[in-house]
Amino acid sequence: MAHQSSYVPKTGFTRWLDQRLPIIRLVNDSFVTYPTPRNLNFWYVFGGILTVMLVVQIVSGIVLSMHYVPNADLAFGSVEQRIMREVNYGWLLRYIHANGASMFFLAVYVHIFRGLYYGSYKAPREILWILGVFIYLLMMATAFFGYVLPWGQMSFWGATVITSLFSAIDQVIPNLGTAITHWLWGDFAVGDATLNRFFSLHYLLPFVIAGVVGLHIWALHVPGNNNPLGIDVKGPQDTVPFHPFYTVKDGFYMVLFFLVFLGFVFYAPNFFGNPDNYIQANPLVTPTDIVPEWYLLPFYAMLRAIPSKLIGVLVLVSSLLTLLAVPWLDTSKVRSCRFRPLMKQLFWIFVADCILLGYVGAQTADAAWHVGEAELPLVWLARLGTLYYFGFFWVLMPWIGKKEVTRPLPESIAQSVLAKGGH
Amino acid sequence: MANASTEPTRRDFLYIATGAAATVGVGLAAWPFIDQMNPTSAVLAMASIEVDVAAIQPGQQVIFKWRGHPLFVRRRTPKEIAAARAVPPSDLPDGLARNANLSDSAPATDANRSIKPEWLVVVGVCTHLGCTPTVSTPQSPQGSYGGWLCHCHGSEYDTAGRIRKGPAPQNLAVPPYAFTGPTKIKIG
């Protein structure tokens, strides 16, 4: 822990326990007395929300697995017939789990963009950021495996397209890519063997995520939270104890978040879903338009923007790996975009770019915008978007960081907060 | 130590022997854990099928299932064959026949894509990311080459199943097959 432990066991039992397994001390130091910058705003509540969403997904997933059958002939029926119609509250559990995944990603995207905006990846928090990227990648893998399990048409063809990304290796080392896909499938095509192993991995990965989340929180508590000003905590006047200040703030927004989440569960449970997934998997017929879940759309758009298979796959992979390099790509001495007028604009363009890529990813491969007589194929929009995505990280971030004239930083968190409080 | 020596000791021997045994042991034990994911003997045993194509009309395509994949058997019209033959080889993004019945270096001429020109037998898996392309017919054209269009990412194939446009890198694969009768084909 970065701060001095202030825990004093009060009873005979807790004194006895504290000398053998100081677990109450750990919880106390991490979530009660943990000194937190006093100026954390709304955008800092999503870390707590994400932790709770992980628990929601694990608990709902464990009970769903008590009724689900990972078999190519039975899986679809075990979801649509048994869980949705026969199991008590099965429909609720399934909708919680399916919409929970979307809410999980919604929260993680806010969390990531918040980190980008306030420069939370900058020293001394590089490892914290990198662990976060690992969690994000693990989340995508888990969500992908989970989406395959209901064994609908989108499940099946999504699995086919994503695993076939590995066949691009054929263009570097002939036949190796195909051998890898057969190894992943356990067959010559996605089938029963694939479904079985995806179920196994879907059950495993959330616990791996939980482990990395533990490391993520550990890496957070060593330097302590960054904050909207992006300046270091200088003393006790800059902080408040985590409890009750942020337990209440996180809790309050968690309730609001759950209102939105449960709004989808009860009133629009299929909002994020694709109707094609209510058709059982058919290995002989591909749906007319394959669309991944919304949270993968920007990357899907980048994959489709490139007319070459190998380069398309490389672009997709590097768009994710780029995130690992961010702490070193940003050369600015100032963390928060509040004091970086230029970076702030580039950041919001980047957010818009991700939304644009997401939009294009949801359209058909040959879609176009018609402006009067002119026709703008969306693939060109995706290419522009891809260019900005990489340009933002690899060109603008290192360059602007050196050129930009930043605004003066406040003396301290306390001074800034008190000045705003008005006198 | 008083009598320190540079001679190897029994402890050094135990240290190296244990380390070597552990390394080799883990290495050997890893292989079964990796190889168990490959297709099982039961999957490999179901690798060939025999189909009767007599009912297929000219210009029609029928889809069979082979090794979990769709298998296209298309009875080509003389016009479709002529269109495929008229293509200069330099126009082809993939110059290889991709025909399992020929050598790997056979060029992608129309003659190299089928055993009997009337019957085109190809694996219905887009060589981009594995979707099933949609067949093009005069009534419902798909793409501009008369063969197939893959809706997933827009790859277009001609009437010999050769890639002509889009992200797919290779021609549709021709599986190992043989005619066992005038209209009977054994695939695999």
Side-chain angles (χ1 to χ4, degrees):
Chain A
M1 291 319 308
H3 69 107
Q4 199 65 39
S5 179
S6 61
Y7 172 67
V8 182
K10 291 196 180 70
T11 68
F13 172 70
T14 49
R15 265 193 298 277
W16 179 87
L17 184 65
D18 195 51
Q19 284 167 0
R20 286 156 180 83
L21 179 73
I23 189 164
I24 303 179
R25 178 181 298 276
L26 179 71
V27 171
N28 180 77
D29 294 350
S30 306
F31 305 109
V32 180
T33 58
Y34 171 64
T36 320
R38 59 196 288 176
N39 61 336
L40 298 190
N41 60 17
F42 164 74
W43 303 105
Y44 281 76
V45 304
F46 286 90
I49 287 175
L50 282 162
T51 314
V52 172
M53 285 314 296
L54 178 62
V55 174
V56 167
Q57 290 303 87
I58 288 180
V59 171
S60 58
I62 287 173
V63 290
L64 282 169
S65 77
M66 295 179 184
H67 307 285
Y68 172 77
V69 185
N71 172 294
D73 295 327
L74 306 173
F76 187 79
S78 77
V79 175
E80 302 304 344
Q81 171 78 21
R82 185 188 294 178
I83 292 175
M84 291 301 287
R85 289 169 172 79
E86 295 167 5
V87 173
N88 296 333
Y89 293 105
W91 57 272
L92 178 62
L93 298 169
R94 198 259 182 127
Y95 282 148
I96 285 176
H97 199 68
N99 287 282
S102 277
M103 290 295 119
F104 205 152
F105 275 96
L106 184 69
V108 92
Y109 281 127
V110 177
H111 195 65
I112 293 171
F113 281 125
R114 187 269 286 154
L116 278 175
Y117 187 84
Y118 293 126
S120 304
Y121 47 82
K122 292 175 77 70
R125 297 184 181 83
E126 302 96 322
I127 299 283
L128 172 60
W129 171 265
I130 287 170
L131 287 167
V133 175
F134 285 157
I135 294 171
Y136 175 49
L137 298 179
L138 283 166
M139 278 174 65
M140 289 207 270
T142 310
F144 163 67
F145 290 138
Y147 193 62
V148 175
L149 301 186
W151 210 237
Q153 274 288 70
M154 277 300 159
S155 300
F156 183 91
W157 291 99
T160 299
V161 167
I162 298 295
T163 49
S164 294
L165 292 174
F166 288 94
S167 67
I169 298 171
D170 276 347
Q171 289 170 275
V172 187
I173 304 165
N175 300 324
L176 178 66
T178 305
I180 291 176
T181 56
H182 291 173
W183 178 74
L184 289 171
W185 295 334
D187 204 329
F188 298 107
V190 172
D192 192 47
T194 324
L195 178 59
N196 254 286
R197 60 190 59 181
F198 279 15
F199 177 60
S200 171
L201 293 171
H202 184 67
Y203 206 121
L204 165 73
L205 288 187
F207 297 97
V208 178
I209 293 179
V212 185
V213 166
L215 296 178
H216 190 64
I217 295 174
W218 188 8
L220 166 69
H221 284 195
V222 173
N225 285 70
N226 183 32
N227 62 84
L229 295 172
I231 57 175
D232 290 332
V233 166
K234 296 208 170 67
Q237 72 281 5
D238 289 343
T239 66
V240 289
F242 189 77
H243 178 74
F245 292 93
Y246 289 112
T247 44
V248 168
K249 185 166 184 162
D250 283 4
F252 174 74
Y253 284 109
M254 220 171 272
V255 170
L256 294 189
F257 187 82
F258 265 73
L259 284 179
V260 177
F261 173 23
L262 294 178
F264 281 114
V265 168
F266 288 112
Y267 295 101
N270 291 304
F271 179 79
F272 297 107
N274 189 308
D276 271 311
N277 225 28
Y278 280 106
I279 304 168
Q280 190 164 2
N282 180 352
L284 300 187
V285 181
T286 308
T288 333
D289 295 305
I290 295 210
V291 189
E293 290 282 86
W294 68 268
Y295 40 81
L296 302 176
L297 286 173
F299 303 103
Y300 191 62
M302 288 195 246
L303 169 76
R304 286 198 309 193
I306 313 294
S308 145
K309 176 175 172 180
L310 180 63
I311 299 172
V313 173
L314 288 176
V315 163
L316 174 68
V317 173
S318 30
S319 67
L320 292 168
L321 296 185
T322 289
L323 296 174
L324 293 171
V326 166
W328 294 276
L329 291 175
D330 186 351
T331 52
S332 175
K333 291 201 166 53
V334 174
R335 291 198 189 102
S336 172
C337 276
R338 275 200 190 169
F339 307 103
R340 304 185 60 188
L342 214 49
M343 192 59 191
K344 185 191 258 179
Q345 293 177 28
L346 297 174
F347 168 84
W348 286 112
I349 298 173
F350 178 72
V351 174
D353 184 48
C354 291
I355 294 170
L356 173 81
L357 283 171
Y359 165 79
V360 175
Q363 312 306 310
T364 55
D366 54 356
W369 276 348
H370 294 274
V371 188
E373 288 293 293
E375 185 187 272
L376 174 67
L378 291 192
V379 66
W380 281 103
L381 221 52
R383 282 170 192 165
L384 271 176
T386 307
L387 195 69
Y388 186 78
Y389 183 96
F390 284 94
F392 174 74
F393 286 117
W394 290 98
V395 181
L396 297 175
M397 231 184 207
W399 184 59
I400 296 298
K402 287 193 175 135
K403 291 275 158 197
E404 190 175 30
V405 181
T406 55
R407 296 210 187 99
L409 293 173
E411 205 67 20
S412 71
I413 294 171
Q415 192 209 44
S416 163
V417 170
L418 295 178
K420 222 190 265 174
H423 3 131
Chain B
M1 261 196 283
N3 56 347
S5 149
T6 51
E7 290 293 301
T9 62
R10 289 211 311 173
R11 180 169 290 157
D12 290 333
F13 171 76
L14 286 173
Y15 183 71
I16 291 166
T18 309
T23 309
V24 172
V26 168
L28 287 176
W31 178 244
F33 285 85
I34 294 168
D35 193 37
Q36 53 84 23
M37 280 179 63
N38 273 318
T40 64
S41 54
V43 169
L44 296 173
M46 306 230 292
S48 90
I49 57 165
E50 190 162 356
V51 297
D52 189 342
V53 295
I56 304 176
Q57 299 302 308
Q60 195 186 14
Q61 161 187 279
V62 166
I63 302 178
F64 299 96
K65 193 173 172 184
W66 177 65
R67 292 188 178 178
H69 287 306
L71 180 91
F72 296 159
V73 178
R74 181 167 175 163
R75 188 169 181 182
R76 299 192 294 175
T77 61
K79 206 173 145 193
E80 286 169 346
I81 299 171
R85 306 227 144 168
V87 179
S90 56
D91 281 8
L92 298 170
D94 178 17
L96 296 174
R98 308 285 173 194
N99 185 337
N101 307 289
L102 301 174
S103 82
D104 283 351
S105 58
T109 59
D110 182 66
N112 278 346
R113 294 281 298 162
S114 56
I115 293 174
K116 296 180 182 174
E118 189 180 12
W119 298 101
L120 185 68
V121 180
V122 288
V123 179
V125 174
C126 180
T127 58
H128 182 226
L129 294 174
C131 294
T132 303
T134 309
V135 68
S136 178
T137 59
Q139 295 78 29
S140 165
Q142 304 283 333
S144 5
Y145 298 92
W148 288 267
L149 168 68
C150 183
H151 282 279
C152 289
H153 310 97
S155 293
E156 298 180 26
Y157 297 89
D158 68 12
T159 52
R162 297 173 298 199
I163 181 65
R164 300 299 295 278
K165 192 182 163 199
Q170 293 179 7
N171 302 325
L172 292 178
V174 178
Y177 71 95
F179 281 86
T180 53
T183 58
K184 283 206 164 59
I185 307 176
K186 182 169 185 263
I187 300 112

